[in-house]
Structure formats: structure tokens, C-alpha cells
Amino acid sequence: MSARALFRELTGGDAAGVWSAPGRVNLIGEHTDYNEGFVLPFAIDRRTEVAAAPRADGVLRVVSTFGAGAVELPVAGLARAHAGGELRGWSAYPLGVAWALGEFGADLAALPGADLAIDSTVPVGAGLSSSAAIESAVALALTELWGLELSRETLAKVGQRAENDAVGAPTGIMDQSAALLGELDAAVFLDCRSLAAEVVPLGFAEAGLVLRVIDTGVRHEHATGGYRERRASCEAGAAALGVRALRDLEVADLDRARELLDDVTFRRVKHVVTEDQRVLDTVRTLRAEGAAAIGPLLDASHVSMRDDFEISVPELDVAVAAARAAGAVGARMTGGGFGGAAIALAPADAVPALSAEIEKAFAARGFAPPTQFTVVPSDGARRDS
């Protein structure tokens, strides 16, 4: 069911408009965002739609094709609901965005309500940031419905605040930035300290390449467990080395880090420092040599995440190895880790053989078949109608 049809089912009337935002693939730069480093994501052609219209009674009502039933709260009561831990489940994402708009200057006590109906084609739990797609689409819709004057850069901060404080996932700002700032056939080169963003042409099609996503079906949960532990290790490493964030270290500093840190913390630090450098090298290579030359950097990123940051799983490793064996120019896991998806940059004419090789490799290990599809670098959040 489309978002517009769901809205009509909810309200009996038509939406004032439909807004959408994409999922994203992070081409390279994993776990560097919250370390104030560099990332290179791009928006993809799988999107979350929000059909919306204002209400006169001050109530915010949300419904989705992936949640059971409508959830509603007074807009003026969002801060109280957040403080009381009442924002839970899937509705914490859209309601959290509305709350976070208040943290960035919106007067929630004076705003009208709204009805929001949400549908998405971004796979959940695959590392393609379905959450940021929801947050960005809702932020854009409410900003227009409520007449707020907030830049897209600010809306990215709104989405991050919702994810961190309402949902409870300690993520950086990369995902929301990709969803809001993405452009067709380009990646967003983002400095996560200054939040300066630059569009970098990718040129996959011109190089005869496609970007394949291999969704392993292994689901993860960023708000718990390993993600938090990795972030804590990074913060501990930065403190021990006397820097504000790991962004302030260079590859040449790793010898000193090895002497000062325990083995586990050192390897976490090593991944982030070398991954930052790989992002810079990837941008430079794309500009100088084109997309076909970045494969070794993608490969090195996966090895670092597997061995130093230890966030891969066997299914991801098998997907990457099989893709490379079948002719991909480079492959890596993408997203926060502990499951989700791998990506493979491959010649377009190699896709049938690549898909078959990955299926065969998964079957040989007794893994459930992965879901494989091509994504196209696409536009960021927008009003569709």
C-alpha cells in the first residue's frame, strides 16, 4: 500500500502532499562519523514516503505500513513524552523527529497537529539506513507543513538528535546527511566535524560498473551491544592519546598508539584512523582515475572492519569473498556491522555470474540465500507531490 493510500485509509481524505527520502549506501568510511572523521555515502533509489496533512487540534498522529495501528500524541506533549520514555517502537522515529524539531527552535506548544502515513522500500536492518530515511522524510514534511525555516543541514542534525535521544541509537550524522544532501550519480563527501559537505561525482555507469547490495538477512540492532562498545573504545582511545577525537590522529601516529593502548583498543583506533585515510584516498582516486580504480580501497576497508574493528559476520565475509572471486573490482561490508549487507562494485556484464557465485557460496556454508539487488546513486529528500 502506498503512503498516499494509507493516508486515505487513516483519515478518509487526501494528503496535502507526499515527501520522500532515500536510504543510503556508505561507499566507504565506516564508524568514522562519530569520531569526527570523513565519510562518503550516497543516496539510493529505495525510498521512504510520507503522506501528510496538517490537523487543527494539535495532535500528531502517525501510521505506517510496517507498524501495527496508529499512534498519536499532542504536539505540545512531545517533550513530556520524551522525558517519560514514552516514545517507543517504530513510532519513536517520526515522533522523535517532531520532538527534535522543538530542540532546534520550533515552538511545539504553538504548532498545529498533523497526520502522517509512512511507507518504505528501504530494507530494514540491512545497513542501508532505513531509520534515517524515515527521519529525513518526516523532517522535510513537518518543516513544510509547519512553516519552519530550517536548512537541510539543520534537518540532518534534527534526525540525528531523534535517533540518538528518542530512539537511543548512538549514531553519527552521516546517514541523515546522505538522505538530505544526496544528488544523482554522486556521493556526499562529508566532514563530520565541520559538517562541510561536497558532492563528488561517482560515474559508475560511465565506467560500465554497477553497485550491487548483498543483504545477508542477518539483522542487527545499533542501539545495543557491539555498536556501543565500539564507540566507547574509540572514545577511550582518543582520551588515552590526548586528542579530542580519533579524527585528530594520522596513520603516522599509530606506532605511538600501539605503545600506549591495549591490543583491542589499539585495533579499534587503527581501523578508524586508516579508514579516514581511505575515504580521502577514495575521493582523490575517483577524481583522478575514476570509479574502476577504487576497488583496492573497498577491499582494504573490509579487511580492517573484519580484523581490527571486528564488526563483520561470516555471512558478510562470504559475500565479499564470493563477489571478488566472481569479478567485482572491490567489495566490503557496509553499515554499522554485526549483520546487514555487503556491497560489490562490479562490471555490469558480470552481475549474473556474481549473483550465482554468491548464491553458491552461501549454500555451501548452509546460510540462507541472500537478497541481491543493484542500487543507483540518486537524489536526496524531496517533495514528490
Side-chain angles (χ1 to χ4, degrees):
M1 180 182 295
S2 70
R4 189 176 284 280
L6 182 63
F7 185 93
R8 192 174 297 111
E9 183 178 277
L10 175 70
T11 67
D14 290 327
V18 176
W19 293 258
S20 72
R24 66 96 186 95
V25 159
N26 190 23
L27 186 62
I28 198 162
E30 223 66 76
H31 288 265
T32 50
D33 56 348
Y34 57 78
N35 288 293
E36 300 186 10
F38 303 101
V39 293
L40 192 66
F42 62 86
I44 64 174
D45 53 336
R46 295 206 171 201
R47 305 181 72 86
T48 293
E49 289 186 339
V50 177
R55 293 170 59 116
D57 60 0
V59 170
L60 183 62
R61 181 168 57 163
V62 296
V63 66
S64 77
T65 54
F66 45 84
V71 178
E72 60 181 64
L73 278 174
V75 177
L78 283 167
R80 184 171 61 253
H82 171 262
E86 297 172 33
L87 305 184
R88 302 190 189 95
W90 73 266
S91 65
Y93 293 95
L95 295 176
V97 166
W99 164 78
L101 286 168
E103 298 296 292
F104 283 83
D107 184 358
L108 298 182
L111 288 171
D115 283 319
L116 306 177
I118 304 168
D119 180 47
S120 184
T121 61
V122 184
V124 175
L128 303 180
S129 200
S130 57
S131 57
I134 296 171
E135 292 152 2
S136 300
V138 169
L140 202 63
L142 290 178
T143 296
E144 185 169 338
L145 289 179
W146 288 346
L148 306 176
E149 295 184 0
L150 297 173
S151 69
R152 287 182 176 239
E153 289 79 7
T154 299
L155 292 183
K157 295 177 184 178
V158 167
Q160 183 194 18
R161 179 71 65 86
E163 184 109 9
N164 291 173
D165 295 346
V167 178
T171 56
I173 201 168
M174 171 183 68
D175 297 345
Q176 293 81 9
S177 296
L180 284 153
L181 303 176
E183 293 186 13
L184 189 67
D185 194 33
V188 178
F189 176 37
L190 178 67
D191 180 334
C192 295
R193 171 170 287 172
S194 69
L195 300 187
E198 186 177 353
V199 173
V200 177
L202 289 169
F204 290 163
E206 183 181 355
L209 300 171
V210 295
L211 199 289
R212 295 286 287 176
V213 173
I214 305 104
D215 181 359
T216 66
V218 179
R219 293 296 173 248
H220 53 198
E221 182 54 70
H222 280 174
T224 58
Y227 191 100
R228 288 184 181 277
E229 292 170 8
R230 297 311 185 278
R231 185 162 186 164
S233 288
C234 292
E235 292 168 354
L241 292 163
V243 294
R244 168 176 151 177
L246 296 184
R247 148 71 174 274
D248 297 307
L249 300 175
E250 298 180 355
V251 173
D253 295 314
L254 290 176
D255 287 342
R256 178 171 69 94
R258 190 189 301 271
E259 295 176 359
L260 292 175
L261 304 174
D262 64 84
D263 178 65
V264 171
T265 305
F266 168 71
R267 288 188 289 109
R268 306 300 188 246
V269 168
K270 178 187 173 189
H271 164 71
V272 173
V273 173
T274 57
E275 186 81 346
D276 267 333
Q277 186 60 50
R278 281 187 287 271
V279 175
L280 299 176
D281 291 343
T282 299
V283 171
R284 191 158 39 244
T285 301
L286 281 167
R287 288 171 170 160
E289 303 176 57
I294 67 172
L297 292 160
L298 303 182
D299 294 342
S301 176
H302 184 76
V303 170
S304 182
M305 290 185 287
R306 183 191 68 200
D307 298 346
D308 288 333
F309 222 59
E310 296 181 294
I311 56 173
S312 190
V313 296
E315 289 87 346
L316 289 168
D317 296 336
V318 167
V320 167
R324 291 291 285 115
V329 300
R332 64 186 285 273
M333 60 150 283
T334 189
F338 311 104
I343 57 173
L345 186 62
D349 59 8
V351 167
L354 183 143
S355 298
E357 184 67 24
I358 292 170
E359 290 273 359
K360 178 181 174 183
F362 269 59
R365 291 289 299 271
F367 299 151
T371 301
Q372 303 182 58
F373 51 92
T374 297
V375 291
V376 178
S378 300
D379 288 325
R382 66 193 182 212
R383 179 167 182 165
D384 291 326
S385 63

